[in-house]
Amino acid sequence: PMIYFVTPTYPRREQIPELIRLAYTLLHVPRIHWILANDLKACNAYIDGLLKRFGLPFTHLASPMPEFYRRKKPMPRGVANRRAAIQWLRQRNITNGILYFGDDDNTYDLKLFSEIRDTQRVSMFPVGLIEEYSVSGPVVRKGKVVGFLDSWVAERRWPVDMAGFATNLAYMAEYPNASMPYKPGYEEDLFLRSIRLNLNIIEPKANNCTEILVWHTQTKNRERTTLRISNKYLDDRSNLGTL
Ligand code: UGA
Ligand code: MN
């Protein structure tokens, strides 16, 4: 089956380098369709050109976050984008394939793709570099998922990261109301509830969830640091002048 790799993205200084980095990972993956959903009112022509140049099968969506949510703190990041991708798949009645939500700033081991490709219903696996514990993922006993390890459980039934699961579209099609609500922190949990997940059907991947094949890397915005350093640079220069 085809893997539909859904990537929310948004305009900021790091956007283009992140997309280039991700594209050169995806170029190593056979039978993949990249759904790039940008948090912008219209498709950015430069990104469109980039996507064409990579030569990957792709769909470029404009999926702006509604203004109402943009003013909220915290914001539901990437939700409008993922909802647009789900809608795109649904409108085309694509039920043959694997759906994976892969943010633009994560790091993906190529082994992840061969692991998720044979997802029958919902597969799960650990994600590295998540908050305090530095890993979030299922606990597996005798080949079955029996619980979860996560730094922030917060009464979630499915305390997992967005990058920690894959869904077979045929399974998802059984739940026409499947959706991702605009609820910061609870997007994964509520999506998985909307497809009526239960523990017994979860397929553990990554060697019974003992290997990390995806990392929640974050490209830090260095603007503040840069400002601090340049102020220091100016101070040092003026000090030099008074010597
Ligand atoms: C973590 C999870 O990894 C995300 O899957 C989850 O959506 C997010 O928390 C959340 O629940 O808020 P995190 O690294 O904290 O992600 O957030 P970002 O990487 O900044 O954003 C998640 C995705 O949404 C990214 O692909 C990003 O490009 C996109 N995004 C972010 C937007 O489309 N618009 C924004 O204003 C911000
Ligand atoms: Mn991120």
Side-chain angles (χ1 to χ4, degrees):
M2 183 79 97
I3 294 174
Y4 292 90
F5 192 95
V6 171
T7 302
T9 187
Y10 70 109
R12 80 264 193 212
R13 299 197 312 173
E14 297 82 0
Q15 183 175 34
I16 301 302
E18 295 286 34
L19 295 179
I20 290 177
R21 202 168 57 87
L22 179 52
Y24 285 112
T25 295
L26 300 183
L27 275 166
H28 292 282
V29 183
R31 287 168 290 142
I32 190 157
H33 187 108
W34 194 13
I35 304 183
L36 186 73
N38 203 352
D39 188 350
L40 201 61
K41 287 205 176 68
C43 282
N44 171 324
Y46 180 77
I47 291 180
D48 219 49
L50 251 184
L51 288 166
K52 288 189 181 114
R53 188 153 65 80
F54 292 136
L56 269 161
F58 73 90
T59 297
H60 186 184
L61 302 175
S63 50
M65 185 188 303
E67 279 310 318
F68 173 77
Y69 295 111
R70 205 182 288 285
R71 285 196 294 269
K72 296 231 161 181
K73 250 184 180 186
M75 276 190 310
R77 308 164 82 82
V79 175
N81 325 45
R82 298 188 197 98
R83 290 168 70 103
I86 292 172
Q87 195 192 345
W88 186 91
L89 289 162
R90 209 172 262 154
Q91 280 168 348
R92 279 152 195 81
N93 213 4
I94 299 174
T95 54
N96 180 18
I98 309 299
L99 171 64
Y100 181 73
F101 298 117
D103 288 354
D104 59 358
D105 55 345
N106 293 340
T107 303
Y108 307 92
D109 186 317
L110 294 180
K111 204 175 153 194
L112 176 75
F113 301 92
S114 44
E115 294 269 317
I116 64 173
R117 202 181 293 277
D118 72 352
T119 300
Q120 302 302 304
R121 287 178 281 196
V122 177
S123 61
M124 286 194 174
F125 32 86
V127 181
L129 295 177
I130 301 269
E131 314 247 343
E132 205 185 341
Y133 296 169
S134 210
V135 63
S136 162
V139 177
V140 177
R141 292 285 175 264
K142 296 183 184 144
K144 285 270 179 199
V145 174
V146 296
F148 297 89
L149 178 84
D150 190 274
S151 325
W152 187 72
V153 173
E155 291 179 4
R156 291 183 293 166
R157 188 183 299 167
W158 309 110
V160 298
D161 184 70
M162 198 62 76
F165 64 91
T167 311
N168 189 309
L169 287 168
Y171 172 74
M172 197 169 119
E174 293 174 30
Y175 305 94
N177 296 324
S179 76
M180 185 172 294
Y182 287 98
K183 193 170 178 200
Y186 294 85
E187 295 93 338
E188 299 87 349
D189 187 33
L190 295 172
F191 173 76
L192 293 168
R193 287 180 194 227
S194 81
I195 56 170
R196 297 293 171 96
L197 184 64
N198 77 72
L199 268 185
N200 300 319
I201 67 161
I202 303 173
E203 302 147 54
K205 298 292 183 193
N207 194 13
N208 277 323
C209 298
T210 59
E211 290 173 13
I212 297 176
L213 301 177
V214 52
W215 284 264
H216 184 250
T217 39
Q218 290 181 307
T219 310
K220 291 285 177 224
N221 186 332
R222 285 176 221 280
E223 235 157 336
R224 278 164 184 277
T225 327
T226 311
L227 191 65
R228 194 152 31 80
I229 292 171
S230 28
N231 285 341
K232 187 174 180 301
Y233 173 74
L234 292 174
D235 281 353
D236 288 354
R237 292 233 350 184
S238 45
N239 286 344
L240 262 182
T242 59
L243 280 179

